[in-house]
Amino acid sequence: MSRLAIMKASLGPVLRLMFRPRVEGAENVPGTGPVILAGNHLTFIDSMIMPICLDRQVFFIGKDEYVTGKGVKGRLMAWFFTSVGMIPVDRDGGRGGVAALMTGRRVLEEGKIFSIYPEGTRSPDGRLYRGRTGIARLTLMTGAPVVPFAMIGTDKIQPGGSGFPRPGRVTVRFGEPMEFSRYDGMDRDRYVLRAVTDSVMAEVMRLSGQEYVDIYATKAKAA
């Protein structure tokens, strides 16, 4: 039995009882081959809920501090996050963005699912912010389809994105796959990258019902 299967069997029922996830459109996620999941990011537990909503394992990057903690708590966190598909990356360094992009490319070239939050960080106020173009580079470099998704309600059960979440119901909504083969060979064209990213974010906005803000979330937090 894989570590993911053990996690789902042991912690899955607890997570389902606490968050009662309603999954919509799971049939839109291809059963085989590389897939990019691209969605909004409201709170820390988004990445805890996603793995229990699909049969296929979902891989995603996370801060390396999640797997380097000390003591029993640190070891449990490391076991949980690596079991559900988190790949630790030092995103604070100058080459953090490049490392994240190359990690996603490797996962996709192995025919797996890679999940990404194009906003690059959690929303500071529940609105949807401008997407980073790494999502566009990934789909153009690998040819993997993009399945947009929306996390709905996670900010209500974990306000502020930190602290212990309260019980409540969340919805995970998947849209139809998007493919961008018409832009083959144009993964260095910044206008193409922006157009692809904006089209993905428009679908995320439609699925989530969030208000869209055309600035980066990091700038909003800094302000």
Side-chain angles (χ1 to χ4, degrees):
M1 182 179 290
S2 68
R3 291 172 63 190
L4 177 63
I6 294 173
M7 188 283 299
K8 284 188 173 182
S10 58
L11 294 181
V14 176
L15 295 175
R16 290 183 183 279
L17 181 64
M18 284 190 65
F19 307 131
R20 294 174 287 144
R22 178 190 295 114
V23 182
E24 301 176 1
E27 68 278 4
N28 289 323
V29 181
T32 59
V35 180
I36 301 170
L37 298 180
N40 60 338
H41 193 14
L42 295 171
T43 188
F44 176 80
I45 61 171
D46 293 339
S47 296
M48 299 175 65
I49 294 174
M50 175 63 74
I52 66 173
C53 294
L54 295 173
D55 292 332
R56 293 184 65 185
Q57 180 155 19
V58 177
F59 292 88
F60 57 96
I61 61 169
K63 296 180 181 179
D64 55 0
E65 64 191 58
Y66 292 156
V67 298
T68 56
K70 305 298 183 181
V72 175
K73 180 181 177 181
R75 289 194 295 271
L76 285 174
M77 284 186 64
W79 177 84
F80 174 82
F81 281 111
T82 55
S83 295
V84 299
M86 193 198 90
I87 302 171
V89 171
D90 180 4
R91 297 184 299 172
D92 295 326
R95 295 180 58 83
V98 175
L101 187 67
M102 291 302 100
T103 298
R105 182 174 185 175
R106 174 175 57 81
V107 169
L108 294 168
E109 289 178 343
E110 292 173 355
K112 300 173 182 177
I113 296 181
F114 185 70
S115 182
I116 187 171
Y117 302 118
E119 290 169 281
T121 187
R122 294 193 294 264
S123 170
D125 54 16
R127 295 185 294 177
L128 185 70
Y129 284 80
R130 196 179 200 209
R132 302 280 180 174
T133 57
I135 176 67
R137 292 190 64 188
L138 273 179
T139 186
L140 296 184
M141 285 191 299
T142 65
V146 178
V147 174
F149 71 87
M151 308 294 296
I152 302 170
T154 54
D155 55 335
K156 302 297 189 298
I157 61 179
Q158 194 180 33
S162 61
F164 195 79
R166 64 185 66 160
R169 162 149 278 181
V170 302
T171 297
V172 184
R173 182 175 295 149
F174 297 96
E176 295 184 0
M178 306 172 70
E179 64 89 26
F180 300 96
S181 58
R182 60 190 179 279
Y183 297 123
D184 281 351
M186 303 176 71
D187 59 282
R188 294 185 180 277
D189 185 313
R190 64 189 182 97
Y191 295 105
V192 169
L193 294 177
R194 174 47 54 193
V196 169
T197 302
D198 288 347
S199 65
V200 171
M201 297 308 289
E203 276 300 294
V204 174
M205 179 180 66
R206 184 184 67 81
L207 292 167
S208 68
Q210 290 171 279
E211 177 185 349
Y212 180 73
V213 184
D214 195 24
I215 62 172
Y216 293 121
T218 50
K219 289 187 177 181
K221 287 182 176 181

